[in-house]
């Protein structure tokens, strides 16, 4: 594989969801973005582009949920997106968790950048649901609802990152655990454990990948093959629409809950893992590595991910999918364009600034002051010119 690395881009706007150890411009945590290390690093255009494009696909996919029953083509596109957009997002998140080692600064950023948004949005989304549906208000932080499962999963994955780095064959072990979960209905939805385990191989793979592996996807041959891989994926999704339960793509149920025996769940784990990895590789190979108009917006992916949930659910509560036009080809295009525009808007600096207090709180009152490292103490006490 080529050993050259993806070209770094200038530092992006603050508010990036990112790494366990690298501060953003605001000094706050980065759950889904820049690489964790001992000191701040320049942002990488390739990964910011990948995160931005993935979050646009997440928002668009949620907008298609209310349209898929009326069109096999839309349903196929929905399956195709769910086959790779969250796996690709998880791979990138794993890549930027490689340095997590329980240092106090990392724990602090895990709490402020993952735990706090989880608690706030798990509460807010359930309040939103109860207010719009008249259902009894149910808030349990041990059973994530809707979008917040990913924050719970990221919290668990990151805490276990040192273990996966210590194993001889971590990816194989993670696949075995994913297959076990898919065949085990007793695991249930507490702590989103089904999804935590079924998506685990993608996170572990990201932990093991180096920059050169991502650069290998940028090779000319891979870029030529990628459109064909995505096209074959679209055809397979179109074929699968009337033949396959789409709940397999959510990775939140065991096989028995989907009406299949446990051994089918094991086979589905392996088959869908292979498909998702192929499609994710195709997606990443087509992601530009240069600085583009949307590169800086990759810093706001967590904002778009969590905030769009109110609109995505509200569209169902408020009857936006009722009527003939929205289910017509023109309506489908309008919904898709609107969803993409929402994704872009929610990653912009004004939105980041407005919601940074909850997405990236400092919580200096909660944590003990950080002690300077030995190297920092030596630099402060060294005589001038030393």
């Amino acid at each position: 594989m080529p050993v050259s690395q993806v070209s770094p881009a200038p530092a992006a706007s603050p508010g990036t969801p990112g790494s366990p150890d690298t501060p953003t411009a605001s000094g706050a945590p980065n759950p889904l973005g820049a690489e964790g290390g001992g000191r701040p690093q320049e942002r990488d255009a390739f990964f910011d582009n990948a995160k931005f494009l993935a979050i646009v696909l997440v928002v668009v996919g949620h907008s298609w949920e209310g349209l898929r029953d009326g069109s096999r083509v839309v349903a196929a596109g929905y399956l195709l997106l769910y086959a790779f957009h969250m796996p690709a997002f998880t791979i990138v998140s794993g890549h930027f968790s490689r340095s997590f080692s329980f240092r106090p600064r990392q724990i602090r950023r895990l709490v402020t950048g993952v735990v706090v948004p989880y608690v706030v949005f798990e509460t807010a989304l359930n309040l939103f649901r109860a207010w719009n549906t008249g259902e009894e208000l149910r808030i349990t932080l041990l059973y994530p609802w809707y979008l917040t499962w990913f924050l719970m999963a990221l919290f668990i994955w990151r805490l276990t990152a040192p273990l996966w780095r210590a194993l001889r064959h971590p990816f194989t072990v993670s696949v075995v655990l994913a297959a076990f979960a898919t065949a085990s209905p007793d695991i249930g939805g507490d702590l989103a454990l089904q999804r935590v385990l079924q998506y685990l191989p993608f996170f572990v793979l990201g932990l093991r990948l180096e920059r050169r592996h991502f650069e290998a996807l940028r090779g000319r041959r891979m870029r030529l093959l990628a459109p064909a891989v995505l096209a074959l994926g679209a055809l397979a999704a179109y074929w699968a629409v009337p033949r396959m339960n789409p709940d397999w793509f959510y990775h939140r149920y065991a096989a028995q809950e989907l009406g299949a025996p446990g051994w089918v769940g094991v086979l589905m784990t392996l088959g869908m893992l292979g498909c998702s990895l192929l499609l994710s590789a195709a997606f990443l190979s087509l992601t530009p590595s240069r600085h583009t108009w949307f590169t800086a917006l990759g810093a706001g992916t967590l904002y778009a991910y969590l905030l769009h949930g109110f609109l995505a659910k509200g569209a169902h509560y408020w009857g936006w999918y009722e009527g003939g036009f929205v289910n017509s080809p023109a309506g489908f295009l309008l919904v898709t364009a609107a969803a993409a525009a929402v994704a872009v808007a929610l990653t912009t600096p004004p939105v980041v600034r407005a919601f940074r207090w909850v997405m990236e709180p400092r919580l200096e009152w909660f944590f003990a002051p950080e002690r300077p490292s030995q190297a920092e103490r030596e630099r402060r006490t060294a005589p001038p010119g030393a």
Side-chain angles (χ1 to χ4, degrees):
M1 293 182 178
V3 296
S4 59
Q5 294 186 349
V6 182
S7 301
S13 61
T16 313
S19 79
D21 198 41
T22 303
T24 58
S26 63
N30 255 345
L32 305 172
E35 180 179 0
R39 60 186 180 184
Q41 300 180 5
E42 287 187 323
R43 299 192 60 85
D44 192 306
F46 171 76
F47 290 109
D48 276 337
N49 291 339
K51 288 186 298 169
F52 172 80
L53 294 174
I55 204 63
V56 170
L57 293 179
V58 169
V59 178
V60 168
H62 283 148
S63 76
W64 290 355
E65 186 174 350
L67 304 175
R68 54 185 173 147
D69 291 339
S71 169
R72 184 173 176 179
V73 172
V74 176
Y78 183 83
L79 293 186
L80 179 65
L81 290 186
Y82 271 80
F84 76 88
H85 64 29
M86 286 310 295
F89 211 61
T90 304
I91 289 171
V92 173
S93 297
H95 179 69
F96 288 117
S97 299
R98 293 174 299 158
S99 70
F100 187 85
S101 57
F102 290 98
R103 293 196 291 272
R105 178 177 296 182
Q106 294 174 331
I107 294 296
R108 175 173 179 158
R109 288 175 181 154
L110 185 62
V111 170
T112 57
V114 177
V115 175
V116 171
Y118 172 78
V119 172
V120 170
F121 279 88
E122 176 67 16
T123 302
L125 284 167
N126 276 286
L127 286 170
F128 185 74
R129 174 174 62 175
W131 180 59
N132 280 280
T133 64
E135 298 176 2
E136 180 183 357
L137 177 61
R138 302 184 306 274
I139 300 175
T140 167
L141 299 180
L142 299 181
Y143 196 94
W145 180 67
Y146 196 36
L147 302 172
T148 54
W149 75 266
F150 187 77
L151 292 180
M152 175 63 77
L154 185 62
F155 178 73
I156 296 173
W157 292 333
R158 187 155 287 167
L159 287 179
T160 62
L163 170 64
W164 299 112
R165 292 199 305 271
L167 296 182
R168 186 182 295 271
H169 302 293
F171 183 70
T172 301
V173 174
S174 70
V175 173
V176 171
L177 288 175
F180 173 78
T182 313
S184 306
D186 292 337
I187 290 179
D190 292 352
L191 302 179
L193 281 182
Q194 274 291 351
R195 278 176 156 171
V196 168
L197 294 174
Q198 291 192 37
Y199 276 100
L200 179 62
F202 302 107
F203 181 82
V204 173
L205 178 63
L207 278 175
R208 307 299 294 180
L209 293 178
E210 300 175 4
R211 294 290 182 91
R212 61 188 177 90
H213 297 128
F214 289 98
E215 178 63 19
L217 294 175
R218 304 287 305 153
R220 184 172 181 271
R221 179 177 299 179
M222 290 296 297
R223 290 175 64 81
L224 290 175
L225 288 174
V229 171
L230 292 173
L232 288 174
L235 290 175
Y238 187 83
W239 175 87
V241 166
R243 299 174 174 86
M244 185 176 177
N245 188 337
D247 286 340
W248 285 106
F249 290 85
Y250 304 145
H251 297 287
R252 65 183 176 212
Y253 300 111
Q256 293 88 339
E257 296 172 287
L258 299 178
W263 63 267
V264 172
V266 173
L267 294 180
M268 288 296 292
T269 296
L270 299 176
M272 294 188 68
L273 176 63
C275 291
S276 294
L277 289 178
L278 280 175
L279 293 169
S280 296
F283 166 73
L284 291 171
S285 71
L286 294 176
T287 299
S289 59
R290 67 186 183 280
H291 197 276
T292 68
W293 66 268
F294 55 79
T295 299
L297 301 182
T301 50
L302 183 63
Y303 293 76
Y305 178 76
L306 292 174
L307 292 171
H308 92 276
F310 297 97
L311 279 176
K313 282 298 181 182
H316 293 275
Y317 298 151
W318 305 327
W320 288 3
Y321 289 105
E322 298 175 3
F325 173 75
V326 75
N327 290 288
S328 67
F332 166 73
L333 293 176
L334 180 62
V335 168
T336 302
V342 166
V344 173
L346 293 179
T347 58
T348 55
V351 174
V352 170
R353 288 192 295 269
F355 290 94
R356 183 178 296 144
W357 63 276
V358 65
M359 300 286 198
E360 303 179 88
R362 294 181 181 272
L363 296 188
E364 294 176 351
W365 57 270
F366 186 74
F367 293 99
E370 294 186 42
R371 295 182 178 181
S373 65
Q374 181 63 31
E376 290 173 339
R377 289 195 295 268
E378 291 176 356
R379 282 197 301 269
R380 291 177 184 179
T381 59

